[in-house]
Amino acid sequence: MKLIADKYEAKEIIKIIREWSELTQEEFGKKIHRSKDSIQSYELGRTKMSLNKFLELAQKENLTITIEKKNHK
């Protein structure tokens, strides 16, 4: 799947990835070695996920994350 990252906040992208995986927060947390509370904190934006962890997560879920370059005048 392809996700255009600049259309979403990081917390939304994490939730989208989890939902595309059809996993609960608890199941998703186990898969990426985090607690359910950590996943909830990511999705609510209370905790930020490191870029390395974020990219690792996308790779595990076979997602392509792109950022569209906007034309500036």
Side-chain angles (χ1 to χ4, degrees):
M1 296 198 141
K2 181 178 178 181
L3 178 67
I4 301 173
D6 59 327
K7 295 186 180 192
Y8 303 94
E9 293 182 38
K11 65 183 185 178
E12 295 172 306
I13 294 171
I14 294 166
K15 186 172 184 178
I16 290 167
I17 292 171
R18 179 181 63 79
E19 289 177 343
W20 279 346
S21 301
E22 298 181 344
L23 298 172
T24 65
Q25 289 177 335
E26 185 173 0
E27 293 166 335
F28 191 66
K30 285 180 182 178
K31 186 172 185 174
I32 65 167
H33 310 290
R34 296 288 189 267
S35 69
K36 176 186 174 187
D37 290 341
S38 292
I39 301 303
Q40 186 177 50
S41 289
Y42 292 142
E43 291 182 3
L44 293 173
R46 291 190 304 233
T47 304
K48 305 272 187 227
M49 182 179 281
S50 72
L51 180 59
N52 285 341
K53 189 66 178 173
F54 188 77
L55 294 174
E56 178 185 321
L57 170 62
Q59 184 178 22
K60 279 184 179 180
E61 296 303 317
N62 198 28
L63 295 173
T64 300
I65 298 178
T66 61
I67 298 174
E68 291 184 344
K69 184 177 180 180
K70 296 182 181 189
N71 294 328
H72 295 282
K73 293 184 178 184

